[in-house]
Amino acid sequence: MNATVSPAPIGQRCIYILDDDPDLCRLVSGTLREFGFETYECASAAALRSLLLWRVPDLCIVDLGLPDADGLDVVRELQARYACGVMVLTGRGYLSDRVMGLELGADDYIVKPFEPRELVARVRSILRRQDKASSAQAPEHSQVAEFSGWRFLVDSNTLTAPSGQQWTLSSGESHMLLLFLKRPNRILDREQLCGDRDLSALDRSVDVRVSRLRRKLESDPEHPKTIRTVYGAGYLLAVEVKWL
């Protein structure tokens, strides 16, 4: 296994770092370990896949410039197959890459160079959103929501269409959908939907995740009827929700 393992006591939050720059890996890994995280370093997508066969982490930090794969393809694979958070950490600061990363399900996108303490804060923010999505309880601790023929399983982040087609949502999408389902037919502003992160005027992460949910839930995403835009106010889930 081409990975550098940093063992830690059982119970710590586990983070995989995928970057072919050993100095950067050591910096990120060392910073996170100082704040109590368990870290595993990978220099290639193949090494990451080997680690994933052994254990699925709480979060993967992924560089886009890899020796054996496109980092965006790795983000897509993680989002589709594994219930873990995904952070992109890259030198590619183009807006198109940032939007694409978020579109593919990344929970956050940080451009190098970065401030280590900000990285830790953003990691904690992603993990808090994961915790909220997995531990948030519907009335009487129900864990399954049904709405307009759809079904959402909170424990597994699984969304099932009336046709039977299923998706495993990213932690960010699951958190957002759960917020909508707990407050149907109420306007939620972008700050509520974002959770812990501070939003800049140019931050599109909320809009990107709404767009991703719409592509699954709406028959015509360009003219949405389920997740409606309330201009100047936020978004609204226009359904009746039943908790099982």
Side-chain angles (χ1 to χ4, degrees):
M1 183 188 312
N2 296 323
T4 301
V5 178
S6 306
I10 295 173
Q12 290 182 314
R13 307 304 292 269
C14 177
I15 299 175
Y16 291 171
I17 304 159
L18 173 58
D19 198 304
D20 62 344
D21 182 341
D23 292 332
L24 189 284
C25 269
R26 282 193 292 270
L27 171 63
V28 173
S29 183
T31 300
L32 292 173
R33 286 200 305 270
E34 287 179 6
F35 286 86
F37 295 102
E38 177 183 4
T39 63
Y40 296 79
E41 302 164 23
C42 309
S44 67
L48 174 66
R49 293 185 181 106
S50 295
L51 275 177
L52 288 165
L53 292 175
W54 167 67
R55 178 182 179 184
V56 177
D58 297 288
L59 174 68
C60 284
I61 298 177
V62 179
D63 182 26
L64 296 186
L66 301 172
D68 60 341
D70 186 319
L72 289 174
D73 290 336
V74 175
V75 171
R76 182 186 293 109
E77 180 180 345
L78 289 168
Q79 195 281 326
R81 299 183 59 186
Y82 303 97
C84 66
V86 180
M87 172 188 284
V88 173
L89 178 61
T90 181
R92 286 158 55 172
Y94 300 111
L95 178 60
S96 59
D97 284 334
R98 185 185 298 268
V99 171
M100 180 62 72
L102 294 170
E103 284 274 5
L104 293 176
D107 296 284
D108 207 344
Y109 191 112
I110 300 180
V111 178
K112 305 172 188 175
F114 60 92
E115 168 57 47
R117 293 294 291 267
E118 179 186 2
L119 173 70
V120 172
R122 287 176 177 250
V123 165
R124 285 174 167 170
S125 178
I126 291 173
L127 296 176
R128 281 196 296 270
R129 293 202 300 272
Q130 284 183 301
D131 291 341
K132 287 180 181 178
S134 62
S135 65
Q137 301 293 312
E140 298 182 1
H141 306 286
S142 299
Q143 293 295 308
V144 180
E146 290 187 346
F147 58 102
S148 301
W150 293 79
R151 174 177 282 227
F152 179 60
L153 277 65
V154 175
D155 288 341
S156 61
N157 294 348
T158 302
L159 178 66
T160 304
S163 65
Q165 183 177 1
Q166 289 189 341
W167 296 269
T168 299
L169 303 185
S170 69
S171 60
E173 291 173 316
S174 298
H175 177 63
M176 177 175 288
L177 180 58
L178 189 58
L179 288 174
F180 277 127
L181 291 171
K182 292 175 69 177
R183 300 169 179 83
N185 298 297
R186 292 174 55 183
I187 298 172
L188 301 180
D189 61 31
R190 296 173 70 247
E191 286 72 21
Q192 289 174 292
L193 292 170
C194 182
D196 297 316
R197 287 179 49 208
D198 292 329
L199 287 175
S200 72
L202 299 178
D203 195 315
R204 292 192 57 203
S205 59
V206 169
D207 307 305
V208 167
R209 290 194 187 108
V210 167
S211 177
R212 285 177 58 84
L213 287 176
R214 280 174 169 167
R215 288 203 295 272
K216 297 177 176 71
L217 295 171
E218 307 281 358
S219 57
D220 181 3
E222 297 300 319
H223 301 88
K225 296 181 179 179
T226 301
I227 301 179
R228 298 179 181 175
T229 300
V230 182
Y231 292 100
Y235 297 98
L236 177 148
L237 183 69
V239 298
E240 296 298 323
V241 179
K242 178 181 179 182
W243 288 94
L244 305 178

